[in-house]
Amino acid sequence: MAKGDFYSETGDVHGVSRSSVCRIIHNVVTSINKRLHNIRFPRTNEDILHTKVMFQRSCGLPNCLGAVDGTLVPIIAPKQNEEAFVSRKGCHALNVQAVADADMRFTDVVCRWPGASHDAMVFDNCALKEHLEATNIGHLLGDSGYPLKPFLMTPYLHPGSPAEERFNKAHKRGRVVVERSFGVLKARFRCLSKSGGCLPFAPEKSANIILCCFKLHNLCLERGLPLPDISSDNDDSQTPGEFIHECGRGGIQRRNELTQLFSR
């Protein structure tokens, strides 16, 4: 997973067959996913407060619980519903949604949607959206590909005042953490990056490997392992496309309240 090597190459290095490599990798990945539970969205008052404080220190925006974005992980063309997995970039992929905190730890991951799915649709159908909507405990930061909601702050597309421009700059400082987290993840686990080719598995097995890499990323941060160099070829993120959102009054009002903090 770190190199994205072909199974035959890995098998030759260790003196085992290609089929053994395949079986061993999936056994280990399944075992890690069953035993390692370190992708946790803040739920306790202490964790929520800590997350908000760290984000406010980094970007100046209060009440923020994370930054959300989607990234593409290339996979081999599946045998069923092949066209649904063709992403905006023309490759077969899974569109993986993740939330990162200010320390680049992933606190929520959804890796079951085909590459043609839009980021906004993925978020609209995730359990985290329902949780934030029901509890009103804070908001996430997302790019302009997401709808503006009381629990999901997006930037102004056409800022019309200095305060709105300053809000956008603060928003960008906060949201960039999820992009950096994706970069570190794919630099550490090349099997998720286009530089490593693609995952040669069905979507279900690919999702299992992707989730394992996210968990190991968090484990590396917890153990203090050095961060890898992030190169430009790790940019497999979705780009905000043409998408019409209905912005309710609640989202507009919440963003206006935050913008007032930058009016002076």
Side-chain angles (χ1 to χ4, degrees), residues 7 16-28 200-201 205:
Y7 279 4
V16 297
S17 67
R18 184 180 185 278
S19 60
S20 294
V21 174
C22 181
R23 184 178 64 256
I24 291 167
I25 288 178
H26 286 295
N27 286 345
V28 172
F201 315 112
K205 283 190 174 182

Side-chain angles (χ1 to χ4, degrees), residues 192-207:
L192 305 184
S193 171
K194 61 186 178 184
S195 65
C198 70
L199 291 175
F201 315 112
E204 295 78 10
K205 283 190 174 182
S206 296

Side-chain angles (χ1 to χ4, degrees), residues 144 148 154-169 242-243 255-256 259:
S144 56
L148 177 63
T154 61
Y156 290 94
L157 289 179
H158 306 288
S161 69
E164 292 179 0
E165 291 177 356
R166 286 192 285 270
F167 170 87
N168 275 7
K169 291 180 180 179
E242 294 291 335
F243 208 79
R255 188 171 65 180
N256 288 341
T259 304

Side-chain angles (χ1 to χ4, degrees), residues 203-256:
E204 295 78 10
K205 283 190 174 182
S206 296
N208 206 30
I209 288 180
I210 293 168
L211 180 61
C212 179
C213 290
F214 273 88
K215 290 184 174 185
L216 292 176
H217 165 90
N218 282 1
L219 183 64
C220 290
L221 293 179
E222 293 165 8
R223 299 291 177 87
L225 271 66
L227 296 178
D229 293 331
I230 304 176
S231 57
S232 57
D233 62 358
N234 287 318
D235 183 18
D236 295 316
S237 299
Q238 285 277 46
T239 54
E242 294 291 335
F243 208 79
I244 299 175
H245 302 295
E246 294 182 2
C247 298
R249 291 185 178 180
I252 294 174
Q253 180 179 351
R254 182 67 59 85
R255 188 171 65 180
N256 288 341

Side-chain angles (χ1 to χ4, degrees), residues 15-262:
V16 297
S17 67
R18 184 180 185 278
S19 60
S20 294
V21 174
C22 181
R23 184 178 64 256
I24 291 167
I25 288 178
H26 286 295
N27 286 345
V28 172
V29 164
T30 300
S31 181
I32 290 173
N33 283 338
K34 286 182 178 180
R35 290 165 171 78
L36 188 58
H37 306 286
N38 61 357
I39 299 177
R40 297 182 296 269
F41 195 77
R43 302 275 178 164
T44 67
N45 291 336
E46 182 180 358
D47 289 342
I48 291 172
L49 178 60
H50 174 76
T51 302
K52 291 181 178 180
V53 168
M54 296 305 293
F55 259 102
Q56 187 160 5
R57 288 177 180 175
S58 66
C59 68
L61 285 173
N63 215 31
C64 182
L65 292 168
V68 62
D69 202 0
T71 189
L72 296 173
V73 177
I75 66 171
I76 194 171
K79 296 181 180 179
Q80 296 180 341
N81 300 322
E82 178 267 340
E83 66 282 354
F85 290 85
V86 180
S87 69
R88 293 170 57 88
K89 298 191 176 184
C91 64
H92 295 87
L94 289 176
N95 185 9
V96 182
Q97 174 186 283
V99 176
D101 65 17
D103 297 320
M104 292 198 299
R105 288 181 174 85
F106 291 109
T107 59
D108 189 80
V109 177
V110 179
C111 54
R112 62 186 180 89
W113 290 93
S117 305
H118 195 282
D119 288 352
M121 189 279 293
V122 176
F123 181 78
D124 194 50
N125 288 275
C126 73
L128 180 58
K129 179 247 185 182
E130 297 179 0
H131 172 68
L132 294 173
E133 193 172 27
T135 58
N136 194 32
I137 57 174
H139 58 257
L140 303 177
L141 302 179
D143 61 30
S144 56
Y146 291 97
L148 177 63
K149 300 286 185 180
F151 49 85
L152 179 54
M153 292 290 102
T154 61
Y156 290 94
L157 289 179
H158 306 288
S161 69
E164 292 179 0
E165 291 177 356
R166 286 192 285 270
F167 170 87
N168 275 7
K169 291 180 180 179
H171 184 283
K172 183 177 180 179
R173 288 197 303 271
R175 191 182 63 81
V176 73
V177 68
V178 69
E179 297 177 357
R180 292 178 55 222
S181 300
F182 283 144
V184 170
L185 172 76
K186 292 186 177 184
R188 200 187 295 276
F189 300 103
R190 288 285 176 177
C191 69
L192 305 184
S193 171
K194 61 186 178 184
S195 65
C198 70
L199 291 175
F201 315 112
E204 295 78 10
K205 283 190 174 182
S206 296
N208 206 30
I209 288 180
I210 293 168
L211 180 61
C212 179
C213 290
F214 273 88
K215 290 184 174 185
L216 292 176
H217 165 90
N218 282 1
L219 183 64
C220 290
L221 293 179
E222 293 165 8
R223 299 291 177 87
L225 271 66
L227 296 178
D229 293 331
I230 304 176
S231 57
S232 57
D233 62 358
N234 287 318
D235 183 18
D236 295 316
S237 299
Q238 285 277 46
T239 54
E242 294 291 335
F243 208 79
I244 299 175
H245 302 295
E246 294 182 2
C247 298
R249 291 185 178 180
I252 294 174
Q253 180 179 351
R254 182 67 59 85
R255 188 171 65 180
N256 288 341
E257 291 172 356
L258 291 172
T259 304
Q260 289 300 313
L261 300 174
F262 300 92

